[in-house]
Amino acid sequence: MNRPRSRIIRFFFPAVIVVSVVFLINFYLRSEDGVEIGFLGGDYSAFIGTTIFFLAFVGLLQFMMRRGSRGRYDKMNAYLEAERQANLSRKRDIDDSMIIKSNFPQSACINADSEDSQLLQKQEKAHAASQAVMMKTNLSNIEIKHAFGPQNIDRIAQCEANFNRYVQALQEWADELLRREQKDEARAVLEEAVNVGADTTKVFMTLAGLYRENRRRAELEALLQKAQSPAFRVHDEITKSKIQAHISDALTALRL
C-alpha cells in the first residue's frame, strides 16, 4: 500500500524543489531594458519551458535510479538464491584424480650445507610447499558447493591455497636462480610450475624466454599448445591471449 505513495513522493519532492527554484529565478529575471519578464512581467514562456525541461530531467533521473536499483536488487536476489541452493547440496566424495602430484625438481637443488643461504631458503620453501595436498578446481565457492557439497568447501579452499603457495614458491626460487645466471636450473623449476597447472603470466613468459634463448623450438610449441588448450584457464581472456601471443612471438623469432 505504501510503495506507490512512496514512489510518488520520491518523484514529486525533488520536482517541487526544482519548480520552486525555477520560479524564483523567473521572478527576478529581467530583460535588457529592465522590464521584468518573469512572474511580474506576465511572460510565462521562459518559466514554463524551463520548468518542463527540469521536470523531464528529474523524471529521467528517477527512472534511471530505480532501474539501477532494481538491477542490483535482482542480481543480489539471484546470488542469494544460488547460495541457498548450493548450501542444500549433498556432500560428495572428492575424486583423487583432482589431487595434484608434484614432481619436485631435484636437479635444480643445491646442497643443504651451501653458503648461499638466500637461494637455499627459496629452495626449502618450495620443497616444503610441495609436501602439502594440492588441488586446483577453477570453480567459485558456489560452484564448489554445488559439485561437492558445502561440507567440502573448507578442505578444497585449503588445497587450492596450498597449490597457489607452491606455484608462488617455485616462481620465487626460479627468480633467485636467474639472478645467479643458473638458467638450466631455473628452467627446470619453471617447467614444474607449468606441469602442476600454473597459470601466471610471469611463469609462462619467463619459461618461453628461456626456451627461445636456447632455441628449444619443440618445447616452445608444446608450451603454446598448453596455453591454447581449453583446460588452460586463467583469470581472464586478455591474460590468456597475452601469454599465447608472447609464446607465438618467441616461436616466430626462432623461424627467422
Side-chain angles (χ1 to χ4, degrees):
M1 295 294 294
N2 293 330
R3 290 188 64 185
R5 183 179 299 177
S6 63
R7 290 177 181 176
I8 293 173
I9 293 174
R10 284 200 303 268
F11 173 77
F12 279 102
F13 181 71
V16 168
I17 294 177
V18 171
V19 171
S20 301
V21 172
V22 174
F23 180 84
L24 290 174
I25 293 174
N26 280 270
F27 185 84
Y28 291 105
L29 191 63
R30 294 174 179 273
S31 64
E32 294 182 359
D33 57 1
V35 178
E36 295 172 342
I37 62 172
F39 175 73
L40 296 178
D43 185 358
Y44 294 96
S45 58
F47 171 73
I48 294 173
T50 308
T51 301
I52 293 174
F53 171 79
F54 276 105
L55 285 175
F57 175 77
V58 171
L60 179 61
L61 184 62
Q62 290 285 332
F63 172 78
M64 295 300 294
M65 290 174 62
R66 287 200 303 272
R67 185 176 181 180
S69 298
R70 181 178 299 175
R72 290 191 296 271
Y73 179 78
D74 291 342
K75 288 181 180 179
M76 179 58 69
N77 275 351
Y79 173 81
L80 292 176
E81 178 60 22
E83 182 75 22
R84 188 185 70 83
Q85 292 291 340
N87 288 330
L88 297 176
S89 299
R90 183 172 56 85
K91 182 179 179 181
R92 297 175 179 84
D93 293 334
I94 298 175
D95 190 347
D96 289 340
S97 63
M98 297 179 61
I99 304 299
I100 295 173
K101 304 294 190 299
S102 66
N103 185 19
F104 189 74
Q106 294 289 347
S107 61
C109 293
I110 58 175
N111 295 328
D113 58 353
S114 172
E115 295 181 358
D116 194 339
S117 59
Q118 193 169 3
L119 181 59
L120 187 60
Q121 180 184 10
K122 301 293 184 183
Q123 173 183 306
E124 290 178 346
K125 180 180 178 181
H127 184 264
S130 70
Q131 305 303 304
V133 178
M134 293 178 286
M135 189 182 303
K136 180 185 177 186
T137 66
N138 290 316
L139 300 176
S140 67
N141 285 346
I142 290 180
E143 290 171 333
I144 290 174
K145 290 179 181 179
H146 272 300
F148 305 102
Q151 299 86 348
N152 283 319
I153 186 71
D154 291 337
R155 179 188 174 191
I156 293 177
Q158 183 59 55
C159 291
E160 291 195 317
N162 294 340
F163 166 80
N164 293 330
R165 192 176 299 112
Y166 183 48
V167 170
Q168 180 64 30
L170 290 172
Q171 178 64 70
E172 292 175 359
W173 185 16
D175 289 342
E176 204 66 39
L177 288 166
L178 288 172
R179 290 191 190 98
R180 291 158 176 76
E181 293 296 321
Q182 298 180 27
K183 296 182 179 180
D184 289 340
E185 291 80 0
R187 186 181 67 247
V189 172
L190 293 172
E191 286 174 342
E192 164 65 2
V194 170
N195 289 336
V196 297
D199 56 10
T200 60
T201 304
K202 189 174 183 180
V203 166
F204 274 82
M205 289 189 172
T206 306
L207 185 57
L210 291 172
Y211 284 155
R212 174 182 175 180
E213 185 177 340
N214 290 275
R215 306 196 64 81
R216 293 175 173 264
R217 181 172 176 177
E219 286 86 344
L220 265 176
E221 291 175 345
L223 191 65
L224 181 59
Q225 289 180 359
K226 183 179 289 289
Q228 292 175 337
S229 170
F232 180 62
R233 299 176 61 183
V234 295
H235 300 295
D236 55 76
E237 287 300 318
I238 295 177
T239 301
K240 186 173 183 177
S241 299
K242 186 177 180 180
I243 292 173
Q244 294 171 355
H246 185 85
I247 301 173
S248 296
D249 291 344
L251 271 171
T252 302
L254 288 184
R255 297 190 185 104
L256 297 178

